[in-house]
Amino acid sequence: MQKVPLIIRCSSLHKLMGNPTGGTNLVKYEKAVLKLEEEREKYAKIKNKETDTANKKNKLIIDLGKELIELNRNKNVVILSQTCKTWIKDSAKEYFYGYKSEITGKMLDKGHINEDTAILRLNYKLGTNFSKNEVRKENGWLTGECDIDHKEAKTIRDIKNAWSMETFPAFEEDVNKKVKEAGYDYQQKGYLILWKYERAFIDYCFTPTPEDLLSSYDNMSIHTINEDLDAGKYITTSEEITLEEGEEKEIKNKHKYAELYFNECLAELNAK
């Protein structure tokens, strides 16, 4: 069976980059190095090396040394997290059976409906003239379409629309926390790779929720704005998101192992 490329959407990149329970092989290796050093120091402090305590400590050091040799051999081998494997299996299943899953819901609908309004409000706050980017980029393993391509500043800006005032992160600390929890930081890093830019920001906005998305049971006060407040007060911008040194290489390396697993899943389905 010919290898099938795994092309990842920037919005799914965080699923690839999650670390397995217990840490990566490199983390395990580094912990083992520290443990061996600690045990050697403890052994060196034992005056009588003929005691049972000294013998047990010496045996532990020998065993740790053997373990370290094995860990060193595999420290650069990527272990995919269970979350990542589940996502890859779902992707393989979609590819094999020829269907496409879609996430739907009122919150997503609001984001699409109010996207242009949010960009207009961001322009008002920043004094800019941004418009929605319509260009999708792909490099053979990654694909994405950012919201705003600020070419002059080589900057990506992504708009997120809060469902209600209760879910709107009004403080910078909260927006940064929300960005990491949702994996939006890796989404932006994906855009930075595709556009070859250096920085990105997420602008979290609150705009009035369209009435047709609400029912008579909804609390209307959390879906409207206070007209006495400046529109810019309903936008919170994240800290600058960048690609750290070596991070693109790390992402590409992890993708290599994900693609191998993706094809293993396809092979299993083909063999049924």
Side-chain angles (χ1 to χ4, degrees), residues 86-102 269:
T86 299
W87 163 66
I88 292 172
K89 285 194 290 186
D90 288 342
S91 300
K93 184 179 168 186
E94 285 185 29
Y95 180 88
F96 184 82
Y97 290 104
Y99 70 94
K100 186 175 179 63
S101 295
E102 291 186 0
L269 291 173

Side-chain angles (χ1 to χ4, degrees), residues 32-70:
V33 169
L34 291 174
K35 179 68 174 175
L36 182 58
E37 289 176 356
E38 290 173 2
E39 296 302 329
R40 281 174 173 167
E41 288 177 4
K42 292 177 183 177
Y43 181 74
K45 291 177 182 179
I46 300 174
K47 293 181 179 179
N48 185 354
K49 299 296 193 283
E50 303 301 323
T51 62
D52 287 343
T53 300
N55 289 331
K56 288 179 182 179
K57 187 67 67 179
N58 187 50
K59 184 179 183 305
L60 176 59
I61 289 170
I62 292 171
D63 291 342
L64 284 172
K66 291 177 180 177
E67 180 184 348
L68 196 59
I69 292 171
E70 185 64 25

Side-chain angles (χ1 to χ4, degrees), residues 14-256:
H14 67 287
K15 298 175 184 177
L16 172 72
M17 297 309 295
N19 287 324
T21 303
T24 63
N25 280 345
L26 181 58
V27 168
K28 291 176 182 177
Y29 170 77
E30 291 171 345
K31 286 182 178 179
V33 169
L34 291 174
K35 179 68 174 175
L36 182 58
E37 289 176 356
E38 290 173 2
E39 296 302 329
R40 281 174 173 167
E41 288 177 4
K42 292 177 183 177
Y43 181 74
K45 291 177 182 179
I46 300 174
K47 293 181 179 179
N48 185 354
K49 299 296 193 283
E50 303 301 323
T51 62
D52 287 343
T53 300
N55 289 331
K56 288 179 182 179
K57 187 67 67 179
N58 187 50
K59 184 179 183 305
L60 176 59
I61 289 170
I62 292 171
D63 291 342
L64 284 172
K66 291 177 180 177
E67 180 184 348
L68 196 59
I69 292 171
E70 185 64 25
L71 287 171
N72 183 52
R73 188 178 295 122
N74 297 308
K75 67 181 180 182
N76 293 320
V77 175
V78 171
I79 301 175
L80 302 175
S81 70
Q82 195 56 53
T83 299
C84 180
K85 286 184 174 181
T86 299
W87 163 66
I88 292 172
K89 285 194 290 186
D90 288 342
S91 300
K93 184 179 168 186
E94 285 185 29
Y95 180 88
F96 184 82
Y97 290 104
Y99 70 94
K100 186 175 179 63
S101 295
E102 291 186 0
I103 301 173
T104 59
K106 293 190 294 184
M107 296 179 188
L108 283 174
D109 290 343
K110 177 181 177 177
H112 294 310
I113 294 168
N114 286 14
E115 188 170 43
D116 288 340
T117 301
I119 292 175
L120 286 173
R121 295 196 174 201
L122 180 65
N123 283 331
Y124 168 79
K125 180 177 181 178
L126 300 180
T128 50
N129 191 32
F130 296 139
S131 59
K132 176 73 173 77
N133 168 59
E134 302 291 347
V135 176
R136 172 169 289 275
K137 293 199 175 190
E138 185 178 314
N139 63 4
W141 62 275
L142 189 64
T143 181
E145 183 179 323
C146 66
D147 288 336
I148 296 171
D149 173 8
H150 189 184
K151 294 182 175 66
E152 294 78 10
K154 293 188 177 299
T155 299
I156 297 294
R157 300 198 82 100
D158 224 38
I159 299 289
K160 303 298 179 187
N161 249 305
W163 168 245
S164 71
M165 278 306 302
E166 290 180 339
T167 61
F168 170 62
F171 301 95
E172 186 176 349
E173 178 185 0
D174 295 334
V175 78
N176 291 331
K177 181 180 178 182
K178 209 173 187 73
V179 164
K180 291 194 177 297
E181 287 178 347
Y184 295 147
D185 52 343
Y186 274 109
Q187 181 181 10
Q188 306 316 304
K189 289 173 189 287
Y191 295 146
L192 292 177
I193 291 172
L194 290 171
W195 266 260
K196 301 186 187 306
Y197 286 176
E198 295 183 355
R199 63 181 192 156
F201 297 92
I202 289 178
D203 298 296
Y204 231 109
C205 308
F206 175 76
T207 52
T209 305
E211 290 184 6
D212 57 353
L213 295 180
L214 301 173
S215 73
S216 58
Y217 298 103
D218 283 299
N219 176 2
M220 297 302 173
S221 71
I222 64 172
H223 289 284
T224 57
I225 63 172
N226 182 343
E227 297 292 349
D228 293 332
L229 291 176
D230 186 272
K233 302 298 184 187
Y234 288 93
I235 299 173
T236 311
T237 300
S238 73
E239 63 187 1
E240 183 180 84
I241 299 168
T242 61
L243 273 171
E244 303 299 327
E245 185 177 351
E247 198 166 16
E248 182 175 350
K249 182 179 178 181
E250 179 189 353
I251 294 171
K252 284 181 180 178
N253 189 44
K254 204 152 194 178
H255 171 267
K256 180 179 71 175

